[in-house]
Amino acid sequence: MRRPAIRPLAIAMALSLACSQAFTASAGDMPAGAEQAAAVTTQLPRTARPSHYTIEITPHAQAMAFDGKVKIDIEVLAATDRIVLQAVDMRFSHSTLTTAAGKTLVPKSVDVDAGNQTAAFVFDQPLAPGRYVLATEYSGKLGTQANGFFALDYPTANGSKRALYTQFENSDARRFIPSWDEPNFKATFDLTVNAPSGEMVVSNMPAKATQVLPNGLTRTTFATTPKMSTYLLFLGVGEFDRLSLEDGGVEIGVIALRGKVEQARYAMEASRDILREYNDYFGVRYPLPKLDNIAAPGRSQFFSAMENWGAIFTFETSLLLDPATSNTFDQQRVFSTAAHEIAHQWFGDLVTMRWWDDLWLNEGFASWMENRTTRKLHPEWDTGGADAAFTSRGAMGGDAYATTHPIVQPIATVEQASQAFDGITYGKGAAVIAMLEDYVGEDAWRSGVRSYIRKHAYGNAVTDDLWAEMDAAAPGRRFIEVAHDFTRQPGVPLIRAASVCRDGQTVVTLEQGEFTVDRPDKSPLRWRVPVSLQAGAGPVVRVLVDGSASATLPGCAAPVVVNAGQAGYFRTLYAPAQFGALTANFSRLPVVDQVGVMLDASALSETGLQPRSDSLNLALQVPLDAAPELWQMVAGSLGGLDDLYKDDPARKAAIQKFVIARLSPKFAQLGWDNRDGDSTSVKQLRTSLISILGGLGDAAVLAEARRRFDAFLVNPESLSPELRRTVLGMVAYNADAATWQRLLALARAEKISMLRDQYYGLLAVAKDKALAQRALDLALTDEPGATLGASMIASVSREHPDMAFDFAVAHREQVDALVDSTSLARYYPGLGRAATDLKMVDKIRAFAEAHIAPTSRRDAERTINAIQTRVHLRAQMRPQIDAWLKQQGV
């Protein structure tokens, strides 16, 4: 599953408050070195398990309901008078249990426990161990949000239409079939669907038979799936088109709403290239006969795509490319989403984590493979290699809080499993894998991955199963000790570095501590940290820092870069003399190391470990011809300074003038429009500078944006795809009532679902409070659509957190209906995330105590902590920034 992602370059743009605004996560109690439980976690009795499901589904789209029949081949493992499985919002009838000898038993009752999400088929006499077939007919509900079995409405020229889809991760297959809905209960599935004859039906496997029924329905029966977890089952029903190609014996397809499938051609061709790469890398070929990717309208607060085996579900924004409106970043997003979800076909689908404690085995690895494959197949998207620095730093902001958790974490409830889909699981997981691969070497790492996949195919695994294969592939490296340090305990290592010249060589001393934002007095955690060092163009020297270490590099002329190549998951604090030498030679460093040094200096300065002037001075010395990635860093470092002075309008205006003067020459060099030969990073820098300059109030930029918007209203083709979202976003942010009304008119007139959603989303970004309130009111109506209202409220919260939070709480019953159940515990606290007033802390705490279970308050805790820390850091940083600005004449 792909969570809504943070664009790597956006990390740089958030530098001014990186620690307080980055991904955070809440407390985990797993002690360092804790042993994983030998027993498999389950929320069900261990008395029976399934081996095969035979399912028949008849949806009733207009009635928002469905009927189901299921026969489940089970094995009773211990004598019991009941078969307990998971089910939500179901009514049961005609239930039977057939013994291996053919005897039919009828349960005396089916006891539904809504709180525990179970149904127990209770019998008069205990069942002896053995094989049985449990059969039942049932009815269920179609939802309006993207979990379980749900309906999505979308506009067309002929009025609104409805399509049906499923999304079961992490624990929602129980809304579709009564089942053992936990990852360790793998089984095979036969699915039959009775759907309107004019609609397409798609599932994990190809259809093996169809039959036209006399009631306007067609019965479609699909081939038997491989052995897999319930959360990977998929069904889609609607007016779809399909495009496909064959490659290496696999049919690769894309499915979209009628009239849109050509917009998925790029995704189809990208999927072919990615599948070839993964077949080679994993050493085990993709095992299904087809791989479809299904585009759906709407959105979710929880995810953007889901890796159902052979039938990936993806929202349109992450799969379709419209030449008239899609830009370079859209193309990157489509490719990286495909790379992530197809990686799951091995890490997650073929081999599945045993329980949600090890979710990172799915998501961390898919994120790492996504990054690796994107760099390999599209090197032109990261010419300076800066992505390695963004990957290694991406989760550190949140991981440095007291509310973080280990990568491998204890999960007890369904809601806790939902909350595990966070920046630690994805971002830190990917970063630690990149570090460990760098530590053992690419060949040994791939050998370990291949062995793990072969050994556990069609089964379940825990993290130590993977580590055992890696240790065998790279003996003598203390690999398991290092891997355990970084996955079984939370936090970010800090490496303090100092160097001296002795006998023509540079001797570097390294001391390990902990980088933390909000627990400086706590005894630091300890890691065994792989560190790479390089001086100039000299050789890379590697050392394992276990408390302390030293390394000797040839020569004394070039400054030493610690974490050369930036694959290591740690912050580096250089002694003042060493940082001064790096600053003086900054332009000679590789781009990836320049980015890493800037990211670390910014984060360290915000916590008082390094003068703020260090990172700001680096930003000032970047020349006009520097790499675009560095100018993204400059824009991020300087672009948010004025935010610290909201209470001082005159000072804020002076700072804005200073930053505009610094950024404008680079923007003037790039210009508004793309030029032949512009790289992807140049295009992205251009749009970033336009956005930042507009946000700073640059009169010329705002006027030009408005001129282009007025031309767009007359002729939509006048606004290029590369600038479309940027210009519209700037105009929407600065909108007056008349402009807001024009955007509303565009939304109401639009018949393309993806563009319609964009327009409604723009209505929610206005900085004007009265317009923001209009957006909130609109979000609760049926007009934007069932899956968009919650996103609109969240968009308002970025500029007006108190307004959005108070509004959502006041209308909680209506807002709950707009948020999928997997996101409820994080949604409301998230509305207050941008607050800079400690009153929000009290609001979130009160809401959590009233409406969130004590075991599910991770996101409330992390948001509270982030706000408190932000307020503290802002007060701490401001005097330093004042002093630095004074030096600049501001």
Side-chain angles (χ1 to χ4, degrees):
M1 179 180 288
R2 185 178 175 90
R3 290 271 295 134
I6 286 185
R7 180 179 174 184
L9 291 177
I11 297 172
M13 296 175 62
L15 276 172
S16 62
L17 290 174
C19 293
S20 55
Q21 291 180 340
F23 274 124
T24 58
S26 76
D29 297 323
M30 182 182 289
E35 294 300 321
Q36 295 178 337
V40 178
T41 304
T42 179
Q43 295 176 333
L44 291 171
R46 299 171 186 264
T47 53
R49 66 178 300 122
S51 60
H52 181 75
Y53 295 83
T54 302
I55 308 160
E56 182 176 340
I57 298 292
T58 304
H60 309 290
Q62 298 311 309
M64 295 295 287
F66 68 96
D67 295 321
K69 300 177 183 179
V70 64
K71 293 181 179 179
I72 312 174
D73 295 353
I74 64 173
E75 181 181 4
V76 172
L77 304 173
T80 179
D81 68 344
R82 65 196 58 216
I83 303 297
V84 183
L85 36 65
Q86 281 138 336
V88 174
D89 287 338
M90 290 180 180
R91 293 186 176 184
F92 296 93
S93 62
H94 302 99
S95 301
T96 62
L97 185 71
T98 305
T99 68
K103 182 179 180 180
T104 299
L105 307 175
V106 178
K108 68 178 182 180
S109 65
V110 180
D111 298 344
V112 174
D113 184 334
N116 287 319
Q117 300 186 346
T118 60
F121 294 77
V122 183
F123 298 88
D124 289 319
Q125 299 294 327
L127 304 171
R131 297 189 180 279
Y132 299 81
V133 176
L134 176 66
T136 188
E137 297 180 13
Y138 61 98
S139 59
K141 299 177 181 178
L142 291 174
T144 60
Q145 302 301 317
N147 58 317
F149 193 17
F150 59 95
L152 293 177
D153 293 343
Y154 58 96
T156 73
N158 299 316
S160 179
K161 293 194 175 183
R162 177 168 292 171
L164 308 180
Y165 307 91
T166 61
Q167 148 57 15
F168 296 151
E169 192 177 26
N170 50 280
S171 306
D172 284 315
R174 63 193 67 180
R175 299 177 185 273
F176 181 70
I177 47 168
S179 56
W180 281 258
D181 190 21
E182 298 175 0
N184 194 55
F185 290 107
K186 285 194 167 185
T188 53
F189 297 81
D190 282 328
L191 177 63
T192 296
V193 182
N194 304 314
S197 296
E199 297 186 355
M200 183 184 294
V201 182
V202 59
S203 187
N204 307 78
M205 298 294 287
K208 67 177 183 181
T210 59
Q211 178 186 358
V212 177
L213 303 178
N215 53 0
L217 301 179
T218 294
R219 175 173 293 157
T220 303
T221 300
F222 294 94
T224 305
T225 72
K227 187 179 179 183
M228 67 185 192
S229 302
T230 49
Y231 77 87
L232 297 171
L233 186 64
F234 177 77
L235 171 62
V237 181
E239 296 184 6
F240 304 147
D241 289 330
R242 184 172 186 263
L243 191 66
S244 66
L245 58 82
E246 190 276 335
D247 190 77
V250 176
E251 188 175 339
I252 301 168
V254 285
I255 295 169
L257 299 175
R258 283 183 185 165
K260 293 186 176 183
V261 75
E262 273 298 329
Q263 295 179 25
R265 182 175 290 276
Y266 174 80
M268 179 182 67
E269 294 172 350
S271 296
R272 174 199 59 207
D273 298 341
I274 293 164
L275 196 63
R276 289 175 180 172
E277 173 65 19
Y278 289 170
N279 278 330
D280 175 68
Y281 186 86
F282 290 118
V284 174
R285 293 188 64 80
Y286 175 75
L288 275 66
K290 63 101 174 174
L291 176 59
D292 279 325
N293 204 329
I294 300 95
R299 64 186 61 203
S300 166
Q301 304 302 309
F302 188 62
F303 75 109
S304 61
M306 172 60 204
E307 65 269 17
N308 312 297
W309 213 359
I312 298 167
F313 174 94
T314 307
F315 286 108
E316 289 179 339
T317 53
S318 295
L319 185 68
L320 304 185
L321 294 176
D322 183 345
T325 59
S326 300
N327 60 22
T328 303
F329 175 63
D330 295 321
Q331 183 181 7
Q332 290 178 299
R333 181 173 62 245
V334 168
F335 185 91
S336 62
T337 299
H340 184 103
E341 302 306 329
I342 296 175
H344 274 310
Q345 307 298 297
W346 284 264
F347 263 96
D349 298 2
L350 182 61
V351 182
T352 311
M353 79 265 134
R354 187 181 295 175
W355 181 247
W356 302 107
D357 299 31
D358 286 296
L359 175 64
W360 91 288
L361 282 175
N362 288 13
E363 301 301 346
F365 270 83
S367 299
W368 171 72
M369 284 298 292
E370 164 197 339
N371 295 337
R372 175 194 176 276
T373 304
T374 301
R375 287 195 299 270
K376 180 174 181 180
L377 298 186
H378 283 285
E380 74 278 7
W381 290 346
D382 183 31
T383 55
D387 183 63
F390 292 125
T391 297
S392 64
R393 305 313 194 279
M396 287 185 186
D399 202 22
Y401 279 80
T403 49
T404 189
H405 64 80
I407 287 175
V408 179
Q409 55 182 314
I411 299 295
T413 68
V414 168
E415 278 196 328
Q416 287 181 358
S418 297
Q419 292 179 327
F421 292 81
D422 65 5
I424 300 300
T425 298
Y426 285 74
K428 183 177 181 179
V432 167
I433 292 167
M435 178 185 70
L436 294 175
E437 182 201 31
D438 185 66
Y439 179 51
V440 302
E442 290 185 10
D443 292 341
W445 183 263
R446 183 171 64 175
S447 176
V449 167
R450 287 179 167 184
S451 179
Y452 168 81
I453 293 290
R454 287 194 300 269
K455 186 170 291 188
H456 298 283
Y458 303 102
N460 298 81
V462 296
T463 297
D464 275 353
D465 292 329
L466 177 63
W467 293 161
E469 302 308 313
M470 290 299 175
D471 195 49
R477 301 301 299 269
R478 301 178 66 184
F479 175 83
I480 290 181
E481 296 174 38
V482 174
H484 282 172
D485 285 351
F486 281 89
T487 56
R488 291 186 173 188
Q489 67 181 356
V492 183
L494 175 69
I495 299 295
R496 298 175 184 267
S499 62
V500 295
C501 181
R502 293 179 187 163
D503 302 324
Q505 295 181 310
T506 300
V507 179
V508 183
T509 58
L510 305 169
E511 297 287 338
Q512 184 223 111
E514 181 182 359
F515 172 71
T516 176
V517 174
D518 58 354
R519 54 178 190 270
D521 298 327
K522 182 179 177 180
S523 298
L525 296 171
R526 292 286 298 273
W527 295 262
R528 280 151 282 207
V529 185
V531 177
S532 300
L533 307 97
Q534 186 175 29
V540 174
V541 175
R542 301 178 185 272
V543 61
L544 187 67
V545 180
D546 187 356
S548 62
S550 63
T552 301
L553 288 80
C556 293
V560 175
V561 173
V562 178
N563 201 4
Q566 306 302 311
Y569 189 80
F570 58 88
R571 299 280 190 193
T572 303
L573 176 60
Y574 294 94
Q578 279 66 54
F579 191 82
L582 282 172
T583 301
N585 292 272
F586 191 67
S587 62
R588 301 177 187 174
L589 302 180
V591 171
V592 63
D593 291 327
Q594 289 177 316
V595 171
V597 168
M598 291 184 77
L599 285 167
D600 282 351
S602 179
L604 293 165
S605 68
E606 288 169 358
T607 56
L609 291 173
Q610 193 167 350
R612 183 64 176 171
S613 57
D614 281 357
S615 61
L616 293 172
N617 285 336
L618 281 178
L620 285 190
Q621 76 171 47
V622 172
L624 279 178
D625 60 353
E629 292 84 355
L630 286 184
W631 270 98
Q632 288 278 9
M633 300 290 294
V634 173
S637 293
L638 302 181
L641 291 178
D642 67 315
D643 187 61
L644 295 172
Y645 296 87
K646 290 182 177 179
D647 60 342
D648 187 345
R651 187 73 169 142
K652 181 180 176 74
I655 293 168
Q656 289 176 333
K657 182 179 179 181
F658 166 73
V659 177
I660 289 171
R662 174 60 179 158
L663 300 182
S664 291
K666 184 62 181 180
F667 178 54
Q669 183 190 67
L670 298 180
W672 273 84
D673 299 303
N674 288 347
R675 299 167 183 171
D676 291 342
D678 279 351
S679 67
T680 298
S681 31
V682 164
K683 293 175 183 177
Q684 292 177 333
L685 175 60
R686 176 181 290 112
T687 57
S688 294
L689 288 174
I690 292 171
S691 295
I692 291 173
L693 288 168
L696 291 168
D698 186 311
V701 169
L702 290 174
E704 179 62 12
R706 185 55 192 244
R707 185 193 70 78
R708 290 177 181 243
F709 175 68
D710 290 340
F712 165 80
L713 293 176
V714 177
N715 175 18
E717 294 182 2
S718 67
L719 192 54
S720 72
E722 292 293 340
L723 292 180
R724 187 179 188 280
R725 199 170 289 121
T726 301
V727 168
L728 295 180
M730 193 183 309
V731 170
Y733 178 73
N734 293 283
D736 56 18
T739 302
W740 196 90
Q741 198 64 38
R742 291 188 186 97
L743 291 169
L744 178 60
L746 289 172
R748 287 173 170 170
E750 185 57 62
K751 300 305 180 186
I752 298 174
S753 56
M754 200 157 57
L755 295 183
R756 179 182 178 276
D757 287 356
Q758 288 179 14
Y759 289 135
Y760 277 109
L762 288 170
L763 296 171
V765 304
K767 65 181 178 182
D768 181 275
K769 285 191 173 183
L771 298 177
Q773 185 61 56
R774 290 180 65 181
L776 291 174
D777 294 337
L778 182 64
L780 292 188
T781 69
D782 293 335
E783 182 177 330
T787 66
L788 192 59
S791 296
M792 291 179 66
I793 297 171
S795 293
V796 171
S797 76
R798 297 185 186 106
E799 185 71 20
H800 309 285
D802 286 281
M803 178 188 294
F805 183 87
D806 294 345
F807 178 87
V809 172
H811 300 84
R812 188 172 65 86
E813 185 174 343
Q814 291 170 275
V815 173
D816 278 358
L818 302 176
V819 181
D820 56 80
S821 59
T822 44
S823 300
L824 274 173
R826 65 159 49 103
Y827 179 77
Y828 288 91
L831 297 177
R833 189 173 294 122
T836 56
D837 188 332
L838 290 177
K839 292 179 182 178
M840 179 60 74
V841 168
D842 297 329
K843 292 180 183 181
I844 294 173
R845 186 173 285 124
F847 179 87
E849 289 174 356
H851 302 296
I852 303 176
T855 56
S856 304
R857 293 176 183 169
R858 165 178 292 179
D859 290 286
E861 292 167 359
R862 74 172 191 171
T863 302
I864 287 170
N865 186 266
I867 294 169
Q868 291 171 327
T869 305
R870 180 184 302 120
V871 171
H872 170 72
L873 291 179
R874 288 165 73 96
Q876 178 178 290
M877 283 189 292
R878 190 159 161 171
Q880 292 188 52
I881 293 173
D882 279 334
W884 182 80
L885 289 168
K886 186 176 181 180
Q887 292 176 353
Q888 312 308 316
V890 181

